[in-house]
Amino acid sequence: MKRKLENQVYDTALFPTEWRFSAAIVGLIRYFEYHHISYQKDCKWEGWEGIAYNEKDLTEARFLEFAESWYGASFPHKKAEQLLEQGCSRGNTWTEEQIKEINKQLKGNTILKETVEVKFDGSNQEEILAVLEENRETIIKETFRNKPNMYAGFAEEKFLFAEENANCRLLGYYVDMGKKARNISYKFDENTFQSIDIREFDWIPFAFCGTYESFFVNNNLDIHALCHIADNLEAIMDRSRESRESNRKILLKFMTEIQDFVEFDVEVISKRWDRKYFESLYIRKEALQAMKAIPDLALLNFHYELGEGINVQDEVIDCCINQMSLDSLIEQLLKLKEREQIGYLQVVIGQLIQLNVEWSQQMDKELKKRTIRSAENYAKKTVRTLLDRKKENKIRSYRQKLISAITFHDYDRVNEILLQLSDYVEISYPFIYCLFEDGEENKEVAFAFANALEAYKKESKEEKEA
């Protein structure tokens, strides 16, 4: 919420009453810090902690200077300038490739094509640098307005630097009043339509971090924590740009690292370039604690291309965010492991089973974990027994039957198969009693047994004794 202040050092206050105001606050603080502008960070109002500042300090010229610094070489004119200045420092020597790259940057968007009318030929760098400097504000403004990873990815381009509007300038919030005002108004009366828009929303893009998909963590109970999390996420995203990790994986890894600053389930706002709206993701603190139990998310690094494909890390992150169990993913991977004989999936599935237990609402998780370990050990003992009897084909046969029954959620059939196998190998399975009581509730035990019932290699004597 925005409030006007009277008879105080600052004339305006902004409070993080919802994510748009929180993001605007983070963007403004970064702007104030860059320009060394005075502001107050602990302004209080009705239980909210916000910032106070003077509205006269929000100028277009300062905004554009900050935007150029924040996005750097994402502006093609900035990249061209850097290349030209590097050439000058080399004694004005240029290769054909360097000249070609500079001309490519100088034609990087419409405003540059209209502004820089000459081509760089290796000798006119001073002329081009002078043109860029003379038209700097216009180039920055039009580039920032229209680039999808800048203003155009967050708000309606025509509202940049506009004062407060009848409806919100942000994508997904903006309404074409001429066409849709009646349809979304109470009792189809346009006069009842209400919306919130403030010029400070222009600073929202500076609060998000990421590339194709960017994020803002709305930890809005404390301004210092809000800024701390935003700054740390920005730093981690910057360090991870060269990696092939998805932004969502980076986000979740970051959230597990800073969960001490998060005392509750937290809202994360996501914005993708190809979508004209924002998404709200709610990440559970319990899920973050469970994710932290995984020694390395790289253990879940498995991608299989078939149809829509399977990306285990992305699936786990989505399940965490959407408070869903991993049952479906585990069943899918069990079938894939059986069909394609992918040995590494045994490790992946084992990690997912443990994670599924951590995310569950069961009272005695430690008992479940011990039962799962028992099932895995008895599966390995069964494999050794069948290998000693030269009955390796039976291992696959029973495993296929189990996986089929598990994926059909037929736990009576699962129990029947386990009893048959126990009788065949002459080994008693104590863990089976929990499946008799409630197969669906204890499905992780069945998952674990089926996953461990493998014979990729014959174990050594030392492994048997262990």
Side-chain angles (χ1 to χ4, degrees), residues 37-230:
I37 295 172
S38 174
Y39 71 99
Q40 181 183 343
K41 207 171 188 177
D42 56 354
C43 183
K44 301 289 196 302
W45 173 74
E46 292 189 0
W48 289 97
E49 180 182 289
I51 62 170
Y53 53 93
N54 289 314
E55 198 157 13
K56 65 181 178 60
D57 291 327
L58 308 183
T59 67
E60 182 175 324
R62 283 173 168 171
F63 182 100
L64 294 175
E65 181 186 342
F66 171 63
E68 183 184 41
S69 171
W70 184 260
Y71 286 102
S74 294
F75 284 100
H77 79 276
K78 191 71 175 175
K79 180 68 173 176
E81 279 185 332
Q82 292 173 355
L83 294 171
L84 287 167
E85 289 166 357
Q86 289 170 8
C88 292
S89 66
R90 293 193 304 267
N92 295 328
T93 57
W94 310 91
T95 65
E96 289 186 11
E97 283 299 317
Q98 289 169 340
I99 293 174
K100 183 178 178 181
E101 179 62 24
I102 290 171
N103 282 314
K104 176 184 174 183
Q105 296 298 328
L106 291 174
K107 301 298 180 185
N109 56 34
T110 302
I111 188 63
L112 279 172
K113 291 176 183 177
E114 294 173 352
T115 305
V116 184
E117 298 178 349
V118 296
K119 290 185 67 174
F120 176 62
D121 59 13
S123 63
N124 58 345
Q125 60 267 24
E126 295 300 332
E127 177 187 354
I128 290 174
L129 286 171
V131 171
L132 293 176
E133 184 60 36
E134 182 182 352
N135 297 278
R136 181 172 300 278
E137 283 196 5
T138 302
I139 293 170
I140 297 171
K141 181 178 180 178
E142 296 308 314
T143 303
F144 180 78
R145 183 200 303 275
N146 293 295
K147 283 203 74 174
N149 64 326
M150 298 184 188
Y151 195 76
F154 296 86
E156 294 288 332
E157 298 96 320
K158 62 184 177 182
F159 290 123
L160 178 62
F161 301 131
E163 294 300 324
E164 297 180 7
N165 301 292
N167 57 73
C168 185
R169 67 192 67 198
L170 298 180
L171 296 178
Y173 291 81
Y174 172 73
V175 177
D176 186 331
M177 297 299 289
K179 296 180 179 179
K180 298 181 179 179
R182 291 185 70 253
N183 291 340
I184 64 173
S185 299
Y186 178 65
K187 292 186 176 180
F188 301 99
D189 181 357
E190 293 182 26
N191 296 321
T192 64
F193 176 77
Q194 293 185 349
S195 182
I196 298 174
D197 184 67
I198 56 174
R199 62 183 298 221
E200 284 83 352
F201 286 170
D202 282 345
W203 275 259
I204 284 177
F206 304 117
F208 280 74
C209 49
T211 50
Y212 174 70
E213 183 176 21
S214 55
F215 301 99
F216 170 70
V217 181
N218 186 27
N219 185 33
N220 62 345
L221 289 188
D222 181 272
I223 292 295
H224 294 277
L226 183 70
C227 295
H228 176 81
I229 290 175

Side-chain angles (χ1 to χ4, degrees), residues 274-287:
D274 62 341
R275 292 180 177 169
K276 294 292 185 181
Y277 55 87
F278 295 84
E279 292 181 273
S280 290
L281 313 173
Y282 289 92
I283 300 181
R284 296 177 297 157
K285 187 171 177 65
E286 293 84 356

Side-chain angles (χ1 to χ4, degrees), residues 431-449:
F431 64 87
I432 200 173
Y433 293 103
C434 70
L435 294 172
F436 289 157
E437 291 176 4
D438 191 335
E440 186 66 35
E441 183 70 16
N442 295 289
K443 53 187 172 294
E444 291 89 357
V445 176
F447 291 160
F449 185 88

Side-chain angles (χ1 to χ4, degrees), residues 230-354:
D231 290 342
N232 278 272
L233 180 57
E234 180 68 32
I236 288 177
M237 288 287 187
D238 284 341
R239 291 198 302 268
S240 304
R241 291 200 198 283
E242 300 301 319
S243 72
R244 301 183 65 182
E245 295 180 324
S246 70
N247 281 354
R248 289 203 174 198
K249 178 190 171 185
I250 297 169
L251 169 71
L252 202 58
K253 286 173 67 176
F254 167 75
M255 294 299 294
T256 60
E257 292 173 7
I258 56 92
Q259 61 174 296
D260 292 340
F261 293 94
V262 181
E263 300 176 358
F264 44 84
D265 297 352
V266 68
E267 178 187 32
V268 177
I269 308 301
S270 165
K271 180 64 180 66
R272 286 172 45 168
W273 293 1
D274 62 341
R275 292 180 177 169
K276 294 292 185 181
Y277 55 87
F278 295 84
E279 292 181 273
S280 290
L281 313 173
Y282 289 92
I283 300 181
R284 296 177 297 157
K285 187 171 177 65
E286 293 84 356
L288 292 176
Q289 292 170 343
M291 289 295 294
K292 198 170 184 178
I294 298 180
D296 186 357
L297 271 175
L299 291 172
L300 302 180
N301 187 15
F302 177 80
H303 191 135
Y304 185 79
E305 291 289 349
L306 181 64
E308 296 182 359
I310 303 173
N311 188 316
V312 173
Q313 287 179 342
D314 287 350
E315 292 285 342
V316 170
I317 290 168
D318 285 342
C319 287
C320 173
I321 290 171
N322 295 308
Q323 303 184 35
M324 296 168 58
S325 77
L326 298 168
D327 295 355
S328 179
L329 178 60
I330 293 171
E331 292 168 3
Q332 195 174 4
L333 293 178
L334 281 171
K335 290 190 290 184
L336 179 62
K337 179 168 74 82
E338 186 61 31
R339 186 176 69 246
E340 303 294 337
Q341 292 296 294
I342 303 172
Y344 178 65
L345 277 178
Q346 190 169 26
V347 176
V348 175
I349 294 169
Q351 291 291 325
L352 294 178
I353 291 170
Q354 294 299 323

